[in-house]
Amino acid sequence: MRTQVAIIGAGPSGLMLGRLLEQAGVDAVIIERKSPDYVLGRIRAGVLEQGAMDLLDAAGVGERMHAEGLIHRGVDLAFDGDMLNINFEKLIGKHVMVYGQTEVTRDLMDARRQTGALTIYDADDVAIHDFDGTAPRVTYRKDGVTHTLDCDVIAGCDGFHGVCRASVPENSVTSFERVYPFGWLGVLVDQPPVAEELIYAHHERGFALCSMRSNTRSRYYVQVPSDEKVENWSDDRFWDELRARLNPATAAVLKTGASIEKSVAPLRSFVAEPLRFGSLFLAGDAAHIVPPTGAKGLNLAMSDVKVLAEAFIERFVEGSMAGTDGYSAKVLQRIWKAERFSWWMTSLLHTFPETGNFGRRIQRAEFDYLAGSLAAQQSLAENYVGLP
Ligand code: APR
Ligand code: PHB
């Protein structure tokens, strides 16, 4: 089998890249190691920046997002019970869209199924070969048979634990990483959200977030130690802890219920450099991880693959290498700004075991500065809705 672009991974990065290439007439095959149902079962963040919304529209898959997504004009920050509304619309004239990553993935999958473009699911032992030259190959096993896909380039869209970055010789890639000493315990529940806007709350017991998927489905998180076991958390224990971290007025109107999903996610900041190795290009979580504070993960993935699709189109339609040559440096600029913002929001809102009372006072001063400075609020707003 032969294609122009072999895409490894059918998460949002791989599926969006496949869609953009298909629209431009560039041939691509996606190889995914899990099943479609498994991919759709992963619950992740759900805030889209304007750039991500525009990309879904340009890809012709924005219809359901506009019908079912919720426009959010701001967010609330809470610090030990004091509330601060950051109104994006007033501060910078922009907004974000609450629409789950699972739904984005579903819309992209449906579109791909309709056009009949090839996605190979349940592929075992996916391996990439000869990407330091101009004739790379991908091999995989399916139903016990080994297959080879010859291609011109490989797009590594296979997430943080994928095979692509791991296949690059160690001395060719530099990793920049910070692992936080805590994770987020998340619960999904079929109850209306506690408030109209998202609430990011700092409390001495730890961070909490009130988010949502729709007007009838809510998503809540509490900061927990990174080795925390989800089995230790009954629904009742979760709701008690969440209420304890919210201000009393919010806690009083929280609607609880049986969780429909509950999981612990570690918090990590990570960037690989560079993002191109000969004929191999990394995008999305394969290239970088942000802590979820600020909801930048999916948005960064979308901006990576927009640039990568343009680069491949330049190469295969126009015959110019400029886009692929410039890919790594171009996307890394935006990646590092989103890394900075996610790290900053994480640092402001979580409790850090090692920083002591000095660190707590600095966090309080940062919150008070935000509350008193329109410039600081504008800075938060322009980062949250997404830098160009
Ligand atoms: N071979 C084939 N597919 C693989 C392999 C492999 N060896 N390893 C992983 N995959 C698949 C995974 O099963 C997954 O479906 O690659 C896909 C990667 O998808 P994601 O992890 O969702 O990464 P990405 O598409 O870059 O999306 C980034 O995900 O983690 C969130 O916050 C992040 O929202 C952001 C988004
Ligand atoms: C979510 O709804 O899952 C969510 C929202 C905002 C974040 C992180 C996660 O910053």
Side-chain angles (χ1 to χ4, degrees):
M1 208 175 16
R2 186 180 159 81
T3 189
Q4 289 175 301
V5 184
I7 301 174
I8 314 300
S13 301
L15 287 167
M16 178 57 90
L17 179 63
R19 177 74 180 174
L20 297 171
L21 293 176
E22 196 185 351
Q23 282 181 318
V26 175
D27 191 38
V29 172
I30 304 183
I31 302 178
E32 162 63 51
R33 72 165 163 200
K34 300 287 188 186
S35 68
D37 284 347
Y38 183 96
V39 171
L40 285 176
R42 291 190 291 236
I43 308 291
R44 279 154 173 187
V47 180
L48 301 181
E49 298 173 354
Q50 186 65 50
M53 291 182 242
D54 293 345
L55 192 64
L56 288 179
D57 283 334
V61 292
E63 200 176 316
R64 204 162 63 93
M65 168 192 72
H66 288 294
E68 296 176 19
L70 307 172
I71 289 176
H72 275 223
R73 298 186 166 79
V75 289
D76 287 320
L77 300 190
F79 203 100
D80 294 341
D82 295 334
M83 297 290 280
L84 170 63
N85 178 255
I86 305 289
N87 187 321
F88 308 143
E89 209 68 87
K90 273 198 194 138
L91 288 161
I92 56 166
K94 292 188 176 156
H95 57 256
V96 293
M97 175 82 84
V98 169
Y99 187 63
Q101 174 173 323
T102 312
E103 306 311 317
V104 173
T105 309
R106 191 189 306 278
D107 295 342
L108 285 163
M109 266 185 186
D110 288 349
R112 194 164 174 89
R113 200 174 306 116
Q114 270 174 23
T115 62
L118 183 59
T119 312
I120 297 152
Y121 283 99
D122 300 303
D124 293 323
D125 300 336
V126 176
I128 60 174
H129 312 272
D130 299 335
F131 54 85
D132 51 346
T134 51
R137 277 175 306 124
V138 182
T139 54
Y140 61 95
R141 227 159 30 82
K142 171 107 182 162
D143 304 324
V145 182
T146 300
H147 301 265
T148 301
L149 174 62
D150 293 318
C151 53
D152 294 310
V153 290
I154 299 173
C157 299
D158 50 349
F160 184 65
H161 299 288
V163 67
C164 290
R165 196 185 68 251
S167 302
V168 175
E170 229 173 88
N171 57 6
S172 305
V173 58
T174 307
S175 298
F176 301 83
E177 185 169 39
R178 172 157 192 167
V179 179
Y180 300 87
F182 43 73
W184 283 13
L185 170 64
V187 157
L188 194 64
V189 64
D190 274 329
Q191 287 289 348
V194 68
E196 214 171 295
E197 306 288 20
L198 270 61
I199 303 174
Y200 290 88
H202 174 100
H203 188 275
E204 62 183 349
R205 298 178 68 94
F207 169 77
L209 171 60
C210 305
S211 181
M212 66 198 72
R213 289 291 175 273
S214 69
N215 289 322
T216 56
R217 181 170 284 189
S218 305
R219 179 74 164 158
Y220 296 102
Y221 298 93
V222 293
Q223 173 187 353
V224 292
S226 33
D227 56 358
E228 188 64 69
K229 295 274 171 293
V230 67
E231 300 79 58
N232 295 338
W233 287 82
S234 66
D235 287 353
D236 283 344
R237 181 177 174 204
F238 179 87
W239 296 122
D240 287 345
E241 188 59 41
L242 178 62
R243 270 189 293 256
R245 296 182 188 189
L246 300 177
N247 73 12
T250 308
V253 295
L254 178 73
K255 288 204 167 63
T256 65
S259 62
I260 49 178
E261 197 263 358
K262 197 191 282 161
S263 52
V264 177
L267 262 69
R268 181 194 303 270
S269 298
F270 172 87
V271 182
E273 288 188 13
L275 297 176
R276 185 240 177 121
F277 311 89
S279 307
L280 170 65
F281 298 80
L282 302 180
D285 276 15
H288 45 71
I289 295 289
V290 286
T293 334
K296 290 283 164 248
L298 176 60
N299 293 296
L300 264 189
M302 292 298 100
S303 54
D304 289 354
V305 296
K306 178 173 189 279
V307 177
L308 190 55
E310 285 164 1
F312 286 160
I313 292 164
E314 253 183 76
R315 181 165 178 153
F316 294 114
V317 179
E318 296 154 26
S320 158
M321 298 291 181
T324 43
D325 287 347
Y327 169 72
S328 181
K330 182 165 180 185
V331 293
L332 277 166
Q333 280 216 358
R334 191 172 192 281
I335 290 165
W336 274 110
K337 287 180 191 163
E339 289 284 346
R340 184 206 70 83
F341 178 66
S342 307
W343 160 84
W344 174 80
M345 260 192 98
T346 302
S347 307
L348 171 66
L349 294 168
H350 291 73
T351 54
F352 286 76
E354 74 282 4
T355 49
N357 62 0
F358 178 81
R360 295 252 316 138
R361 280 285 192 276
I362 292 291
Q363 287 173 314
R364 179 73 219 191
E366 181 94 43
F367 179 82
D368 290 343
Y369 170 58
L370 255 180
S373 164
L374 267 185
Q377 292 181 21
Q378 269 170 342
S379 165
L380 195 167
E382 72 177 359
N383 278 280
Y384 197 97
V385 306
L387 297 172

